[in-house]
Amino acid sequence: MQPRSSRRSIVATGRTHRPATRSRGIPEATVARLPLYLRALTALSERSVPTVSSEELAAAAGVNSAKLRKDFSYLGSYGTRGVGYDVEYLVYQISRELGLTQDWPVVIVGIGNLGAALANYGGFSARGFRVAALIDADPAMAGKPVAGMAVQHTDELEKIIEDNGVSIGVIATPAGAAQQVSERLIAAGVTSILNFAPTVLSVPEGVDVRKVDLSIELQILAFHEQRKAGEGAAAAAAAGSLSDDEDTGTGAAPAAALVPPAGRAAATSRKGNPEGDVPAVMPA
């Protein structure tokens, strides 16, 4: 009998999958940018754009062109001088590298508001991720249709993963339930988890976790907004202070006004005397 992990890959794709990214030694930072390039390239492809320069593609992806060219060198794609990159070929290259040329069954655990929204998100299927099952711990949710699928109870979790050859799980449960759900997913054979629960999961080596916390992103935006507001208030206060000084005449006085009369006379008497110690014209 085949090992379970190998059997699961064959069920899902018809062949054993060997991740190209790790065997080629592509840096994780580059892997994280590949979906950005793919999104920009897909938009170009939909507009029937045949080629794109590194500068244009970098701008569309929000990176600098030197970094883009370095990233593409890991894929063995260097473009053509004066022409740029072939859009369709790059779409294929990046899709292959990300494993998107095959079907990936996914389960979503936790069908509350967020889980239901994820179930209805069309971007999963467009990128090769097929939602195989929707799972929830609430018995009242069992059998209810969400996004055209009947929600199944968590009692069926292990069987669902086994039957569908699932290796990717999405957790959209409350924070308190997320760790236990992750442990059950991993025990059933899931090796990659997308975690939307506002908590940090503890997983064994060999299990990949990507965390999405919307509240953290909003807090970061709030920090930047507060800083911008503070800078704006400081600038307004400085401008108001300068305006008040000009209106009341309390601004900086001319340099001559700050020199006492005796000092001005002494300074005048030294004009033309390079030594500065003896007046230029001696008194009679």
Side-chain angles (χ1 to χ4, degrees):
M1 183 176 178
Q2 294 177 343
R4 190 183 186 288
S5 59
S6 174
R7 187 200 62 76
R8 183 171 64 250
S9 295
I10 294 172
V11 169
T13 67
R15 57 186 172 83
T16 302
H17 171 62
R18 295 179 176 83
T21 53
R22 294 185 180 179
S23 63
R24 293 191 185 190
I26 298 178
E28 286 296 325
T30 295
V31 174
R33 287 188 290 269
L34 291 181
L36 303 179
Y37 302 141
L38 182 59
R39 181 172 60 188
L41 287 163
T42 300
L44 292 171
S45 176
E46 290 172 350
R47 302 203 318 262
S48 300
V49 176
T51 59
V52 62
S53 69
S54 59
E55 289 78 11
E56 292 169 332
L57 183 54
V63 303
N64 66 64
S65 57
K67 185 175 292 184
L68 177 142
R69 288 191 292 270
K70 179 67 173 178
D71 289 343
F72 285 178
S73 71
Y74 291 111
L75 307 181
S77 183
Y78 296 92
T80 304
R81 184 178 295 276
V83 176
Y85 295 94
D86 183 287
V87 170
E88 291 299 332
Y89 182 63
L90 262 186
V91 168
Y92 165 74
Q93 266 193 313
I94 295 175
S95 296
R96 180 191 62 189
E97 207 65 44
L98 291 174
L100 303 182
T101 55
Q102 62 190 63
D103 174 62
W104 290 104
V106 174
V107 295
I108 301 176
V109 184
I111 313 303
N113 291 332
L114 178 57
L118 293 171
N120 281 285
Y121 176 55
F124 287 143
S125 58
R127 291 290 182 269
F129 299 97
R130 174 177 58 85
V131 178
L134 306 177
I135 304 172
D136 198 274
D138 184 358
M141 287 292 296
K144 286 190 175 181
V146 174
M149 301 180 65
V151 176
Q152 301 181 64
H153 193 265
T154 49
D155 289 347
E156 304 295 321
L157 186 147
E158 287 79 9
K159 184 176 186 302
I160 291 168
I161 291 173
E162 177 74 23
D163 291 347
N164 291 277
V166 175
S167 59
I168 300 176
V170 178
I171 296 178
T173 66
Q179 181 62 43
Q180 183 182 12
V181 168
S182 72
E183 291 170 359
R184 288 186 62 185
L185 288 171
I186 293 166
V190 167
T191 53
S192 293
I193 295 174
L194 180 60
N195 178 32
F196 283 89
T199 187
V200 176
L201 300 177
S202 176
V203 300
E205 186 177 354
V207 175
D208 295 309
V209 176
R210 299 290 295 182
K211 179 172 173 54
V212 180
D213 193 325
L214 302 180
S215 66
I216 287 179
E217 300 303 322
L218 286 172
Q219 289 172 53
I220 293 171
L221 290 176
F223 165 80
H224 290 296
E225 285 301 311
Q226 178 175 260
R227 187 180 64 178
K228 286 185 285 188
E231 291 172 350
S241 176
L242 180 60
S243 176
D244 291 343
D245 288 346
E246 292 174 348
D247 292 341
T248 59
T250 58
L258 300 178
V259 181
R264 287 201 297 274
T268 302
S269 69
R270 287 196 295 269
K271 287 182 180 179
N273 178 19
E275 300 298 328
D277 294 329
V278 182
V281 179
M282 294 295 291

